[in-house]
Amino acid sequence: MLNISPVIVWTVALSQLLTFGLTVWNLVMSGSRANAKQISDHADLLADHGGRIASLEQSLVALPAKEDLHKLTLALSDFRGELREIRASQNAAAEMVRRQEIVISRVEQYLLENGKK
């Protein structure tokens, strides 16, 4: 008769070794899979940041330079001076109109008083 108990023992032992080997393999590779997922997420995030940085660089290119801002400041200073001149001229004109109104009211008063005589 054939004794199969050593075959069963070897089969069980081989099965246990294979199970142990697969468990170790899964433990080792699970970290690798998690890292691969994390690296993939970081690559996507980095690509997104690259696009955002490119758009910021384009925005910075469109901003005025230091010299442009200096020219604008000088132009505003000149404009402010011209506005002061206009304001002074308007005040002078308003004073002339006020004086003319006084003269006109005096002439009107004189004419009204002399017209009654």
Side-chain angles (χ1 to χ4, degrees):
M1 183 141 26
L2 199 58
N3 190 4
I4 62 167
S5 73
V7 173
I8 292 176
V9 170
W10 280 105
T11 305
V12 170
L14 188 60
S15 172
Q16 289 298 321
L17 283 174
L18 187 59
T19 303
F20 178 72
L22 286 174
T23 303
V24 170
W25 175 261
N26 282 332
L27 284 174
V28 169
M29 293 309 291
S30 69
S32 175
R33 278 185 241 128
N35 286 342
K37 170 82 171 103
Q38 193 174 19
I39 288 172
S40 173
D41 292 345
H42 284 232
D44 295 341
L45 187 63
L46 188 61
D48 180 49
H49 285 307
R52 290 174 58 195
I53 289 172
S55 70
L56 284 173
E57 287 174 344
Q58 288 299 320
S59 297
L60 286 176
V61 167
L63 289 177
K66 180 180 176 183
E67 295 82 22
D68 297 331
L69 290 176
H70 181 66
K71 288 177 186 177
L72 185 60
T73 303
L74 290 177
L76 284 174
S77 256
D78 293 343
F79 185 67
R80 206 175 301 136
E82 290 172 7
L83 283 177
R84 283 189 193 118
E85 291 175 13
I86 291 171
R87 187 178 305 127
S89 173
Q90 284 182 338
N91 288 341
E95 182 62 27
M96 282 176 50
V97 168
R98 188 183 68 77
R99 287 180 189 163
Q100 287 176 353
E101 286 175 349
I102 291 172
V103 169
I104 290 172
S105 68
R106 284 181 184 167
V107 169
E108 183 181 16
Q109 188 66 29
Y110 173 78
L111 290 175
L112 286 174
E113 288 175 2
N114 286 337
K116 292 180 184 176
K117 294 182 184 179

